[in-house]
Short mmCIF file of all heavy atoms in Angstrom, two decimals:
data_model
loop_
_atom_site.label_atom_id
_atom_site.label_comp_id
_atom_site.label_asym_id
_atom_site.label_seq_id
_atom_site.Cartn_x
_atom_site.Cartn_y
_atom_site.Cartn_z
N HIS A 412 -34.54 75.44 17.99
CA HIS A 412 -35.34 76.05 16.94
C HIS A 412 -36.68 75.32 16.72
O HIS A 412 -37.29 75.53 15.67
CB HIS A 412 -34.52 76.05 15.63
CG HIS A 412 -33.40 77.01 15.64
ND1 HIS A 412 -33.56 78.39 15.54
CD2 HIS A 412 -32.08 76.85 15.81
CE1 HIS A 412 -32.42 79.03 15.59
NE2 HIS A 412 -31.47 78.12 15.73
N GLY A 413 -37.11 74.59 17.68
CA GLY A 413 -38.47 74.03 17.65
C GLY A 413 -38.62 72.80 16.79
O GLY A 413 -39.74 72.34 16.58
N MET A 414 -37.53 72.18 16.32
CA MET A 414 -37.63 70.97 15.54
C MET A 414 -37.61 69.74 16.45
O MET A 414 -37.11 69.78 17.56
CB MET A 414 -36.49 70.92 14.52
CG MET A 414 -36.51 71.96 13.49
SD MET A 414 -35.03 71.89 12.36
CE MET A 414 -33.87 72.94 13.29
N LYS A 415 -38.19 68.64 15.98
CA LYS A 415 -38.20 67.35 16.71
C LYS A 415 -37.16 66.48 16.00
O LYS A 415 -37.45 65.84 14.96
CB LYS A 415 -39.58 66.75 16.64
CG LYS A 415 -39.71 65.48 17.45
CD LYS A 415 -41.14 64.98 17.37
CE LYS A 415 -41.28 63.68 18.16
NZ LYS A 415 -42.71 63.19 18.07
N PRO A 416 -35.93 66.37 16.52
CA PRO A 416 -34.88 65.68 15.79
C PRO A 416 -34.90 64.16 15.87
O PRO A 416 -35.27 63.59 16.96
CB PRO A 416 -33.58 66.22 16.41
CG PRO A 416 -33.99 66.54 17.83
CD PRO A 416 -35.44 66.98 17.73
N VAL A 417 -34.53 63.50 14.80
CA VAL A 417 -34.29 62.06 14.76
C VAL A 417 -32.91 61.89 14.17
O VAL A 417 -32.61 62.53 13.15
CB VAL A 417 -35.36 61.33 13.91
CG1 VAL A 417 -34.99 59.85 13.76
CG2 VAL A 417 -36.76 61.51 14.49
N ILE A 418 -32.08 61.04 14.78
CA ILE A 418 -30.73 60.81 14.27
C ILE A 418 -30.76 59.61 13.36
O ILE A 418 -31.25 58.52 13.74
CB ILE A 418 -29.74 60.57 15.44
CG1 ILE A 418 -29.72 61.78 16.34
CG2 ILE A 418 -28.35 60.27 14.86
CD1 ILE A 418 -29.35 63.10 15.70
N ALA A 419 -30.21 59.73 12.16
CA ALA A 419 -30.09 58.63 11.23
C ALA A 419 -28.61 58.34 10.97
O ALA A 419 -27.83 59.27 10.65
CB ALA A 419 -30.82 58.88 9.89
N GLY A 420 -28.18 57.12 11.06
CA GLY A 420 -26.74 56.78 10.99
C GLY A 420 -26.22 56.56 12.37
O GLY A 420 -26.22 55.45 12.90
N GLY A 421 -25.77 57.66 12.98
CA GLY A 421 -25.42 57.59 14.40
C GLY A 421 -24.38 56.56 14.78
O GLY A 421 -24.44 55.92 15.79
N ALA A 422 -23.33 56.46 13.91
CA ALA A 422 -22.31 55.44 14.19
C ALA A 422 -21.64 55.65 15.55
O ALA A 422 -21.27 54.68 16.22
CB ALA A 422 -21.22 55.50 13.08
N GLU A 423 -21.52 56.90 15.99
CA GLU A 423 -20.96 57.19 17.31
C GLU A 423 -21.99 57.62 18.33
O GLU A 423 -21.68 58.16 19.34
CB GLU A 423 -19.88 58.28 17.16
CG GLU A 423 -18.67 57.86 16.37
CD GLU A 423 -17.50 58.87 16.43
OE1 GLU A 423 -17.76 59.98 16.92
OE2 GLU A 423 -16.42 58.53 16.09
N ALA A 424 -23.26 57.25 18.07
CA ALA A 424 -24.33 57.67 18.97
C ALA A 424 -24.16 57.08 20.39
O ALA A 424 -24.59 57.68 21.36
CB ALA A 424 -25.71 57.28 18.40
N TRP A 425 -23.56 55.89 20.45
CA TRP A 425 -23.38 55.31 21.78
C TRP A 425 -22.57 56.19 22.73
O TRP A 425 -22.78 56.12 23.98
CB TRP A 425 -22.67 53.92 21.63
CG TRP A 425 -21.30 54.01 21.04
CD1 TRP A 425 -20.95 54.00 19.73
CD2 TRP A 425 -20.08 54.13 21.76
NE1 TRP A 425 -19.60 54.14 19.58
CE2 TRP A 425 -19.04 54.17 20.82
CE3 TRP A 425 -19.76 54.19 23.13
CZ2 TRP A 425 -17.68 54.28 21.16
CZ3 TRP A 425 -18.41 54.29 23.50
CH2 TRP A 425 -17.40 54.33 22.49
N ILE A 426 -21.73 57.01 22.18
CA ILE A 426 -20.89 57.93 23.05
C ILE A 426 -21.75 58.95 23.76
O ILE A 426 -21.47 59.32 24.88
CB ILE A 426 -19.83 58.58 22.17
CG1 ILE A 426 -18.91 57.53 21.52
CG2 ILE A 426 -19.02 59.60 22.95
CD1 ILE A 426 -17.92 58.12 20.52
N VAL A 427 -22.83 59.35 23.13
CA VAL A 427 -23.69 60.36 23.71
C VAL A 427 -25.10 59.81 24.00
O VAL A 427 -26.08 60.48 24.00
CB VAL A 427 -23.80 61.58 22.78
CG1 VAL A 427 -22.49 62.33 22.71
CG2 VAL A 427 -24.24 61.19 21.36
N ALA A 428 -25.13 58.51 24.26
CA ALA A 428 -26.39 57.84 24.48
C ALA A 428 -27.20 58.42 25.65
O ALA A 428 -28.45 58.63 25.51
CB ALA A 428 -26.15 56.32 24.76
N ARG A 429 -26.54 58.77 26.76
CA ARG A 429 -27.27 59.33 27.88
C ARG A 429 -27.95 60.65 27.50
O ARG A 429 -29.10 60.92 27.85
CB ARG A 429 -26.36 59.50 29.06
CG ARG A 429 -27.09 60.01 30.31
CD ARG A 429 -26.12 60.05 31.52
NE ARG A 429 -25.58 58.74 31.82
CZ ARG A 429 -24.68 58.52 32.76
NH1 ARG A 429 -24.21 59.53 33.49
NH2 ARG A 429 -24.23 57.28 32.99
N GLU A 430 -27.23 61.47 26.75
CA GLU A 430 -27.77 62.76 26.35
C GLU A 430 -28.95 62.59 25.39
O GLU A 430 -29.94 63.30 25.50
CB GLU A 430 -26.67 63.61 25.69
CG GLU A 430 -25.57 64.04 26.66
CD GLU A 430 -24.42 64.71 25.93
OE1 GLU A 430 -24.68 65.78 25.32
OE2 GLU A 430 -23.34 64.14 25.92
N LEU A 431 -28.85 61.63 24.50
CA LEU A 431 -29.95 61.37 23.55
C LEU A 431 -31.19 60.89 24.33
O LEU A 431 -32.32 61.27 23.98
CB LEU A 431 -29.50 60.29 22.54
CG LEU A 431 -28.48 60.76 21.50
CD1 LEU A 431 -27.92 59.57 20.70
CD2 LEU A 431 -29.08 61.77 20.56
N ALA A 432 -30.99 60.02 25.30
CA ALA A 432 -32.10 59.52 26.11
C ALA A 432 -32.77 60.70 26.85
O ALA A 432 -33.99 60.77 26.88
CB ALA A 432 -31.63 58.47 27.07
N GLU A 433 -31.98 61.55 27.47
CA GLU A 433 -32.53 62.69 28.22
C GLU A 433 -33.30 63.60 27.35
O GLU A 433 -34.28 64.19 27.74
CB GLU A 433 -31.39 63.38 28.96
CG GLU A 433 -30.79 62.58 30.08
CD GLU A 433 -29.57 63.26 30.68
OE1 GLU A 433 -29.15 64.34 30.14
OE2 GLU A 433 -29.05 62.80 31.72
N ALA A 434 -32.82 63.76 26.07
CA ALA A 434 -33.51 64.67 25.14
C ALA A 434 -34.64 63.97 24.36
O ALA A 434 -35.31 64.62 23.56
CB ALA A 434 -32.47 65.23 24.15
N ASP A 435 -34.84 62.65 24.63
CA ASP A 435 -35.86 61.87 23.94
C ASP A 435 -35.68 61.92 22.43
O ASP A 435 -36.63 62.19 21.68
CB ASP A 435 -37.25 62.35 24.35
CG ASP A 435 -38.36 61.38 23.91
OD1 ASP A 435 -38.06 60.19 23.73
OD2 ASP A 435 -39.50 61.85 23.71
N VAL A 436 -34.45 61.67 21.98
CA VAL A 436 -34.13 61.69 20.53
C VAL A 436 -33.85 60.24 20.09
O VAL A 436 -32.90 59.64 20.57
CB VAL A 436 -32.92 62.60 20.27
CG1 VAL A 436 -32.50 62.49 18.81
CG2 VAL A 436 -33.23 64.03 20.63
N PRO A 437 -34.63 59.73 19.16
CA PRO A 437 -34.40 58.35 18.71
C PRO A 437 -33.25 58.28 17.69
O PRO A 437 -32.86 59.27 17.10
CB PRO A 437 -35.74 57.97 18.04
CG PRO A 437 -36.32 59.29 17.61
CD PRO A 437 -35.84 60.32 18.58
N VAL A 438 -32.75 57.03 17.49
CA VAL A 438 -31.65 56.80 16.56
C VAL A 438 -32.04 55.66 15.60
O VAL A 438 -32.49 54.61 16.08
CB VAL A 438 -30.33 56.45 17.30
CG1 VAL A 438 -29.23 56.15 16.28
CG2 VAL A 438 -29.92 57.58 18.19
N ILE A 439 -31.89 55.91 14.27
CA ILE A 439 -32.07 54.88 13.27
C ILE A 439 -30.72 54.48 12.73
O ILE A 439 -30.05 55.35 12.14
CB ILE A 439 -33.04 55.39 12.20
CG1 ILE A 439 -34.33 55.90 12.84
CG2 ILE A 439 -33.31 54.31 11.19
CD1 ILE A 439 -35.26 56.58 11.86
N LEU A 440 -30.33 53.25 12.94
CA LEU A 440 -28.95 52.89 12.67
C LEU A 440 -28.82 51.60 11.90
O LEU A 440 -29.77 50.84 11.78
CB LEU A 440 -28.16 52.74 14.00
CG LEU A 440 -28.53 51.55 14.91
CD1 LEU A 440 -27.39 51.16 15.78
CD2 LEU A 440 -29.74 51.88 15.82
N ASN A 441 -27.61 51.42 11.38
CA ASN A 441 -27.23 50.16 10.73
C ASN A 441 -26.39 49.38 11.71
O ASN A 441 -25.29 49.78 12.07
CB ASN A 441 -26.42 50.44 9.48
CG ASN A 441 -26.00 49.18 8.72
OD1 ASN A 441 -25.92 48.09 9.29
ND2 ASN A 441 -25.68 49.35 7.45
N ALA A 442 -26.96 48.26 12.21
CA ALA A 442 -26.30 47.52 13.28
C ALA A 442 -25.05 46.77 12.82
O ALA A 442 -24.36 46.14 13.63
CB ALA A 442 -27.28 46.52 13.90
N LEU A 443 -24.74 46.78 11.54
CA LEU A 443 -23.53 46.17 11.05
C LEU A 443 -22.38 47.18 10.87
O LEU A 443 -21.32 46.82 10.40
CB LEU A 443 -23.80 45.46 9.72
CG LEU A 443 -24.65 44.19 9.80
CD1 LEU A 443 -24.91 43.60 8.41
CD2 LEU A 443 -23.99 43.12 10.68
N GLU A 444 -22.62 48.41 11.28
CA GLU A 444 -21.62 49.47 11.11
C GLU A 444 -20.54 49.31 12.22
O GLU A 444 -20.81 49.61 13.38
CB GLU A 444 -22.30 50.83 11.25
CG GLU A 444 -21.42 52.00 10.88
CD GLU A 444 -21.42 52.25 9.40
OE1 GLU A 444 -22.44 52.65 8.84
OE2 GLU A 444 -20.31 52.06 8.79
N ASP A 445 -19.40 48.76 11.85
CA ASP A 445 -18.38 48.52 12.89
C ASP A 445 -16.95 48.89 12.45
O ASP A 445 -16.03 48.62 13.18
CB ASP A 445 -18.40 47.02 13.35
CG ASP A 445 -17.88 46.10 12.27
OD1 ASP A 445 -18.06 46.43 11.08
OD2 ASP A 445 -17.29 45.07 12.62
N LEU A 446 -16.83 49.47 11.27
CA LEU A 446 -15.50 49.86 10.78
C LEU A 446 -15.48 51.38 10.52
O LEU A 446 -16.49 51.97 10.15
CB LEU A 446 -15.16 49.15 9.50
CG LEU A 446 -15.01 47.63 9.60
CD1 LEU A 446 -14.82 47.00 8.21
CD2 LEU A 446 -13.84 47.26 10.49
N PRO A 447 -14.34 52.02 10.76
CA PRO A 447 -14.23 53.49 10.56
C PRO A 447 -14.13 53.79 9.04
O PRO A 447 -13.05 54.07 8.55
CB PRO A 447 -12.96 53.84 11.28
CG PRO A 447 -12.14 52.57 11.27
CD PRO A 447 -13.12 51.46 11.35
N GLN A 448 -15.26 53.82 8.39
CA GLN A 448 -15.27 54.09 6.93
C GLN A 448 -14.83 55.52 6.61
O GLN A 448 -14.38 55.78 5.54
CB GLN A 448 -16.66 53.82 6.37
CG GLN A 448 -17.11 52.35 6.54
CD GLN A 448 -18.47 52.13 5.86
OE1 GLN A 448 -18.80 52.74 4.84
NE2 GLN A 448 -19.26 51.24 6.41
N ASP A 449 -14.94 56.41 7.57
CA ASP A 449 -14.44 57.75 7.41
C ASP A 449 -14.18 58.29 8.80
O ASP A 449 -14.37 57.64 9.81
CB ASP A 449 -15.39 58.62 6.61
CG ASP A 449 -16.80 58.60 7.18
OD1 ASP A 449 -16.97 58.69 8.43
OD2 ASP A 449 -17.78 58.51 6.41
N PHE A 450 -13.69 59.55 8.87
CA PHE A 450 -13.29 60.12 10.16
C PHE A 450 -14.52 60.43 11.02
O PHE A 450 -14.36 60.62 12.24
CB PHE A 450 -12.45 61.37 9.93
CG PHE A 450 -11.04 61.07 9.57
CD1 PHE A 450 -10.63 61.06 8.24
CD2 PHE A 450 -10.10 60.72 10.55
CE1 PHE A 450 -9.33 60.77 7.92
CE2 PHE A 450 -8.80 60.41 10.20
CZ PHE A 450 -8.41 60.42 8.88
N ASP A 451 -15.72 60.49 10.45
CA ASP A 451 -16.90 60.71 11.27
C ASP A 451 -17.30 59.45 11.97
O ASP A 451 -18.16 59.50 12.88
CB ASP A 451 -18.09 61.18 10.39
CG ASP A 451 -17.97 62.64 10.03
OD1 ASP A 451 -16.89 63.22 10.24
OD2 ASP A 451 -18.93 63.23 9.49
N ARG A 452 -16.80 58.26 11.56
CA ARG A 452 -17.22 56.99 12.12
C ARG A 452 -16.10 56.22 12.77
O ARG A 452 -16.12 55.00 12.78
CB ARG A 452 -17.92 56.17 11.01
CG ARG A 452 -19.24 56.71 10.63
CD ARG A 452 -19.85 55.92 9.48
NE ARG A 452 -19.41 56.35 8.20
CZ ARG A 452 -19.97 55.95 7.04
NH1 ARG A 452 -20.98 55.12 7.07
NH2 ARG A 452 -19.55 56.40 5.88
N LEU A 453 -15.15 56.94 13.34
CA LEU A 453 -14.04 56.27 13.99
C LEU A 453 -14.49 55.39 15.18
O LEU A 453 -13.86 54.43 15.51
CB LEU A 453 -12.98 57.31 14.47
CG LEU A 453 -12.25 58.06 13.37
CD1 LEU A 453 -11.33 59.08 13.98
CD2 LEU A 453 -11.42 57.05 12.50
#
């Protein structure tokens, strides 16, 4: 839809890192995020 996306949070971004790199999408993250605080961050 013509938007330029930026991911914020991205606790599971490492799983799709190659796809993010290919799409040139940056990630803004909290580097201390290491516990599954909810089901989105397992």
Side-chain angles (χ1 to χ4, degrees):
H412 288 285
M414 293 176 272
K415 184 178 179 181
V417 174
I418 301 302
E423 293 191 347
W425 62 273
I426 298 173
V427 291
R429 183 175 300 177
E430 294 173 62
L431 289 169
E433 291 174 353
D435 192 25
V436 175
V438 177
I439 304 173
L440 69 153
N441 181 338
L443 290 177
E444 191 83 69
D445 71 328
L446 295 174
Q448 297 184 33
D449 53 43
F450 283 97
D451 282 12
R452 289 179 274 191
L453 291 176

